[in-house]
Amino acid sequence: MHTTVCEFLLDIIQNSLEADSSVIIVEVNQVGRNFEVTVGDDGCGMDEQQLKSAQDPFYSQAGKHDHRKAGLGIPFLMQTAELTGGECSVKSEKGKGTSVKFVLPLDHVDTPPIGDLPGTFLASLSYPGDYEMVIRRHIETEDRKDSYQLVRSQLKEALGEIETSGALAMLRDYLISQEETAETQMNDGDNYEKEARHGKNDPRRTEGITRTEEERIK
Amino acid sequence: MTLEELRALREQKKKELSKRDVSDKQMQIVIGMGTCGIAAGAKDTLNTFLSELDKAEISDAVVTQTGCMGLCYVEPTAEVRVPGMPNVIYGNVTPEVVKNIINEHLLNGKMVNEHVYDRPAADIIDNGGE
């Protein structure tokens, strides 16, 4: 069983990465007493039978880990949501993608601690492959209201690459600074999307993350 | 830190690196980050590798992730590839073991025998890869 919420989050993000997604949108919101996460992708998706099997701890998708006879990520998450009175839902469409949403009440005795979010984002963003990932973080509690956004292609451009130890160390420091300081960057994120539609960002993508793609993933 | 500051930091590090004599043969570290690895603390392993490589002033080692390597019973695992040494998969790679791997394997060319779980052959393990 995972000991922090971040471990569940990383597990779900890895599912999206292993589903050959080209775009993954992650929203991590802390609103009042609830921790809400949504991970949406445009990967291979699942049909109805596969979606049902994904909730079986003794099922692992063929070709993913052929030497294993267990797939525990989603079952662990669903069990924790049930134990804590939270929510968990998985929606998927074969050939189009998958969306996983979970909400855990932070004040429930069985809810694990949040864990290391910057470390989780580091592991997610540095996973090898050619994909775009957008992580949106929003905190709204009695004492704090912050938001920031991380876009993988922007970070790769700023660092040159994100696979050597030097680049990853700088990225880690950057991610820690985002979580610790009260910088609101959602406005910058909106500008990124506008610029992306005019092809001003990652040359690999002519449109960047557009609202249309977000809707498609959801 | 803003993205602009991150770019500036990268430029500064590039200049520092260009002043050092860096071999073009890269070390590579692959960390197992499947569900088993995550549950066993592979994120801490990754973070410790980055911190200790930074302390050892090794900035060009490639650090990547993979899924489950089939050694779930000894997670966290890490495969270490250093030019001139056999490729090794280490098991039970706690933050303390990371420090040993960097000091012994990467910097001194000696495998950490008690944590080798796959590759190479037994006779190479016995003489420490030397």
Side-chain angles (χ1 to χ4, degrees):
Chain A
M1 179 69 79
H2 292 318
T3 55
T4 66
V5 179
C6 280
E7 289 174 6
F8 288 114
L9 172 57
L10 185 57
D11 225 344
I12 300 303
I13 291 173
Q14 286 205 340
N15 284 348
S16 290
L17 289 162
E18 291 175 354
D20 294 329
S21 303
S22 61
V23 178
I24 300 168
I25 309 279
V26 182
E27 297 190 5
V28 182
N29 299 328
Q30 193 170 333
V31 181
R33 61 187 278 276
N34 283 338
F35 199 79
E36 307 172 3
V37 172
T38 305
V39 179
D41 66 58
D42 64 348
C44 57
M46 295 179 277
D47 60 29
E48 203 176 307
Q49 182 55 46
Q50 286 172 319
L51 185 55
K52 194 176 170 189
S53 297
Q55 298 168 44
D56 178 355
F58 298 105
Y59 169 83
S60 184
Q61 186 178 328
K64 191 174 166 181
H65 300 291
D66 288 330
H67 52 271
R68 269 194 355 211
K69 293 193 179 0
L72 297 170
I74 289 176
F76 271 175
L77 178 59
M78 299 189 91
Q79 184 182 44
T80 300
E82 189 182 322
L83 277 172
T84 59
E87 305 165 24
C88 180
S89 65
V90 182
K91 294 176 185 170
S92 190
E93 198 172 331
K94 188 84 176 170
K96 289 202 174 170
T98 299
S99 175
V100 178
K101 179 180 176 181
F102 66 89
V103 182
L104 299 176
L106 291 171
D107 56 358
H108 194 285
V109 66
D110 288 321
T111 301
I114 293 173
D116 173 21
L117 268 172
T120 301
F121 295 160
L122 176 72
S124 304
L125 292 162
S126 62
Y127 199 90
D130 186 23
Y131 59 93
E132 179 67 285
M133 183 178 288
V134 179
I135 298 174
R136 296 197 176 103
R137 171 88 168 115
H138 180 69
I139 306 162
E140 198 169 323
T141 60
E142 274 182 17
D143 352 285
R144 191 177 170 194
K145 187 172 179 181
D146 298 325
S147 292
Y148 64 86
Q149 178 166 283
L150 306 166
V151 183
R152 188 175 190 254
S153 56
Q154 280 186 334
L155 294 166
K156 275 185 83 172
E157 181 273 323
L159 289 164
E161 43 80 17
I162 47 173
E163 60 174 20
T164 61
S165 45
L168 290 172
M170 285 189 279
L171 178 58
R172 184 185 53 185
D173 290 343
Y174 176 79
L175 296 173
I176 290 171
S177 74
Q178 301 307 294
E179 183 69 15
E180 284 180 349
T181 63
E183 289 177 4
T184 303
Q185 294 184 12
M186 291 306 287
N187 288 336
D188 289 340
D190 287 342
N191 287 336
Y192 168 80
E193 286 190 338
K194 286 176 194 166
E195 289 173 2
R197 290 191 196 99
H198 293 90
K200 287 186 182 178
N201 285 333
D202 183 355
R204 176 176 57 80
R205 296 175 57 80
T206 56
E207 293 187 10
I209 306 297
T210 64
R211 290 285 179 207
T212 306
E213 282 179 312
E214 279 201 55
E215 291 303 316
R216 179 165 54 86
I217 289 168
K218 285 178 185 173
Chain B
M1 195 190 300
T2 63
L3 272 176
E4 204 47 55
E5 287 167 340
L6 184 62
R7 284 188 194 98
L9 181 61
R10 173 216 168 190
E11 286 307 309
Q12 181 195 325
K13 297 279 183 186
K14 261 176 78 175
K15 283 180 188 164
E16 289 170 12
L17 190 65
S18 66
K19 292 177 188 167
R20 299 210 310 260
D21 178 27
V22 175
S23 167
D24 58 1
K25 292 184 181 174
Q26 274 182 327
M27 302 180 203
Q28 189 172 2
I29 297 159
V30 184
I31 297 169
M33 202 77 81
T35 301
C36 47
I38 294 168
K43 264 200 303 95
D44 290 338
T45 301
L46 170 64
N47 280 334
T48 309
F49 263 114
L50 296 182
S51 301
E52 295 300 316
L53 286 167
D54 198 32
K55 280 187 201 167
E57 295 189 341
I58 300 172
S59 62
D60 59 344
V62 173
V63 181
T64 58
Q65 304 162 49
T66 186
C68 173
M69 289 199 259
L71 296 170
C72 312
Y73 61 101
V74 288
E75 289 284 0
T77 53
E79 181 170 4
V80 177
R81 301 172 190 166
V82 173
M85 297 268 299
N87 293 341
V88 177
I89 294 180
Y90 286 110
N92 291 320
V93 183
T94 60
E96 205 51 47
V97 174
V98 170
K99 294 175 187 174
N100 288 344
I101 290 171
I102 289 176
N103 289 333
E104 298 297 318
H105 192 138
L106 271 63
L107 296 176
N108 290 306
K110 288 183 186 176
M111 291 187 290
V112 183
N113 285 349
E114 61 270 30
H115 285 274
V116 175
Y117 277 90
D118 195 16
R119 306 185 208 140
D123 56 346
I124 297 178
I125 294 175
D126 285 343
N127 63 27
E130 293 176 1

